Amino acid sequence: IRVFSGVMSAYSYSNDLSEKSLIETAKAAAAGLKTDESVHTEAFGAINLGREPRVEFSKVGNASRIALLKKAQRAAKEYSSEITQLSLRYMDEDKRVLVCNSEGVFAADRRPRTRLFITAVASKGDDAQRGYLSYARGMGFEAYDEADIESLAIRAAKMAVTMLHAPECPAKVAPVVIGGGFGGVIFHEACGHSLEATSVAKGNSVFAGKLGEQIASRIVTAVDDGTIPGEWGSINMDDEGTPSQRNVLIENGVLKGYMIDKLGGRRMGMKPTGNARRQNYTFAPTSRMTNTFIAPGKDDDEEMIRTLGEGLYAASMGGGSVNPLTGEFNFSVDEGYWIKNGKIVSPVRGATLIGKGADVLMKIDRVGKKMWMEHGMCGSLSGSIPNNVGQPRIRVSEITIGGKGGAL
């Protein structure tokens, strides 16, 4: 139970749903605010937004789950004798959410999700390299009707074997081509969090107060869209009962909007955008991303490399860190290739990308035609939540590349 008074809030929770417990929880929340403000309540208007999965997880035996893992295991192991270790995991959940408030909202959502993880390790002597991929959807077990799990496993094995034989990446300031899908993690971390009301409303963002200004290259359009059916980060409503929606954050390089929850909206004088999210009832909702991506552009993928000169193709991104106040980031590259004279000459390992989100946005000079999304868990003030990152292949004209290798 959360109580608002102006731009202040107090939050209290319980897992006891008896009437007595709920009243005590409400009193505890109200006691956190010193105010004589009266409350006007609206009658509930029930809305059920929940989608029903075609194949519920409760109707699927563990034999079917295990069969998926074994299929992936066989495909990865058969790819190469250098694959010495495989780790495969499966998860599913069927979450139900009910939100009601004094504004009359009484809304329910159903959020089935499933995810399969594949980690392959290739070894030679004392050297070992990892390849990691996963598949995830926001639906029931029918998600695997459209999944090519064997191809996914082979890609993870190939990544591990390729990096096993790769030299160390050179350190250089150079252009970088960043692959589609999980390459969007740079936008998510270095820019997306800085567009959430959690940061913007308090002025703790490089993008605060810049609506209508050009903050990115004119070929960049970025969107957060929680309405895409079946996607990992999709929700029918947020955790304050606001329907999810498609939010254009950046359009042709111009900042068009932020991701806003109710409390952030009060502080900013703006309406919520359906982005209030949380891990569970023990967290108060805050503004968070759903499916966040750079929209498709008009450029050719191969031309980006052909006209690059010398630099890096970051085919698959790994984890990293970012300062949301400054946008400074440091990300590892899981799968990288060195480019010279417009041609890929060698895989490289140990590459990192270092820079500032605002600078990178302005230096994007190519955006490819095909966008796809990848999935992950995002941690912030309201816990860990599922969301997608995505983009087409893009090119950044200049960025700092970290590495331990010499010239190639």
Side-chain angles (χ1 to χ4, degrees):
I1 296 177
R2 184 162 59 163
V3 178
F4 287 144
S5 177
V7 296
M8 298 183 296
S9 72
Y11 186 71
S12 184
Y13 66 86
S14 171
N15 61 5
D16 178 355
L17 298 184
S18 67
E19 181 180 1
K20 179 182 178 183
S21 172
L22 293 178
I23 290 174
E24 289 176 350
T25 305
K27 287 180 177 178
L33 294 178
K34 304 299 182 182
T35 177
D36 296 325
E37 187 177 341
S38 60
V39 178
H40 173 74
T41 61
E42 298 286 343
F44 288 140
I47 304 172
N48 192 322
L49 299 167
R51 63 188 183 280
E52 298 296 319
R54 296 202 310 272
V55 183
E56 295 188 27
F57 300 120
S58 60
K59 297 178 180 178
V60 178
N62 280 340
S64 297
R65 295 172 169 91
I66 293 169
L68 281 174
L69 298 175
K70 287 185 174 180
K71 183 188 294 187
Q73 180 190 38
R74 285 192 301 269
K77 197 165 187 176
E78 291 172 0
Y79 176 77
S80 170
S81 61
E82 292 180 314
I83 298 297
T84 56
Q85 183 178 332
L86 288 166
S87 174
L88 299 104
R89 292 182 292 149
Y90 170 93
M91 64 78 64
D92 59 45
E93 68 174 14
D94 193 356
K95 181 177 285 189
R96 315 295 178 101
V97 179
L98 173 66
V99 176
C100 51
N101 66 27
S102 56
E103 296 172 343
V105 171
F106 193 100
D109 196 8
R110 184 176 184 181
R111 301 172 185 171
R113 289 190 174 93
T114 181
R115 192 177 185 190
L116 190 150
F117 310 77
I118 304 167
T119 302
V121 177
S123 301
K124 184 179 181 182
D126 295 332
D127 194 7
Q129 294 293 315
R130 188 195 77 152
Y132 168 81
L133 289 168
S134 65
Y135 175 83
R137 297 302 304 273
M139 57 176 68
F141 201 74
E142 68 271 17
Y144 297 99
D145 293 343
E146 59 188 67
D148 189 346
I149 297 300
E150 290 171 305
S151 293
L152 195 72
I154 290 170
R155 282 173 52 205
K158 182 180 179 182
M159 185 187 302
V161 172
T162 300
M163 292 301 102
L164 181 66
H165 299 282
E168 293 284 349
C169 181
K172 190 179 181 70
V173 176
V176 174
V177 173
I178 303 175
F182 204 63
V185 71
I186 289 184
F187 179 84
H188 169 100
E189 293 287 2
C191 305
H193 282 299
S194 297
L195 295 174
E196 294 169 338
T198 309
S199 300
V200 177
K202 297 178 180 179
N204 295 331
S205 166
V206 294
F207 302 119
K210 292 189 176 181
L211 280 178
E213 295 184 19
Q214 184 182 353
I215 64 166
S217 164
R218 297 193 184 280
I219 61 173
V220 173
T221 293
V223 177
D224 181 88
D225 189 350
T227 69
I228 307 171
E231 286 295 346
W232 177 247
S234 292
I235 49 177
N236 291 301
M237 67 175 191
D238 71 10
D239 292 322
E240 293 175 333
T242 303
S244 63
Q245 63 187 52
R246 177 183 171 89
N247 298 302
V248 177
L249 305 173
I250 300 169
E251 186 175 29
N252 300 325
V254 176
L255 180 59
K256 292 291 186 177
Y258 302 110
M259 292 166 282
I260 307 172
D261 61 309
K262 285 185 180 292
L263 182 59
R266 284 173 171 242
R267 290 171 172 164
M268 298 164 67
M270 302 177 75
K271 293 182 179 179
T273 57
N275 287 95
R277 305 186 67 192
R278 58 179 173 176
Q279 180 176 330
N280 55 44
Y281 69 90
T282 66
F283 296 88
T286 56
S287 54
R288 307 288 296 274
M289 287 170 270
T290 57
N291 306 303
T292 310
F293 55 91
I294 294 176
K298 300 179 180 180
D299 295 304
D300 179 74
D301 283 4
E302 297 308 315
E303 185 271 346
M304 294 184 202
I305 292 176
R306 191 169 60 247
T307 60
L308 179 139
E310 183 174 14
L312 177 70
Y313 170 36
S316 180
M317 297 299 300
S321 60
V322 63
N323 181 335
L325 181 59
T326 64
E328 294 175 310
F329 64 81
N330 184 317
F331 285 95
S332 65
V333 178
D334 280 350
E335 183 182 8
Y337 299 88
W338 198 253
I339 302 167
K340 290 186 76 172
N341 300 319
K343 294 181 180 179
I344 292 175
V345 295
S346 174
V348 289
R349 67 165 87 167
T352 58
L353 301 182
I354 304 162
K356 286 187 177 182
D359 293 342
V360 168
L361 286 177
M362 294 298 290
K363 291 178 180 177
I364 295 174
D365 66 2
R366 298 285 193 281
V367 177
K369 300 173 185 177
K370 181 184 178 182
M371 188 279 295
W372 71 95
M373 289 183 281
E374 298 286 355
H375 38 268
M377 300 298 293
C378 175
S380 189
L381 296 177
S382 56
S384 180
I385 60 168
N387 55 30
N388 272 354
V389 300
Q391 66 177 39
R393 181 182 289 188
I394 67 171
R395 190 172 78 182
V396 181
S397 61
E398 185 180 87
I399 192 170
T400 299
I401 304 167
K404 299 178 181 178
L408 293 175

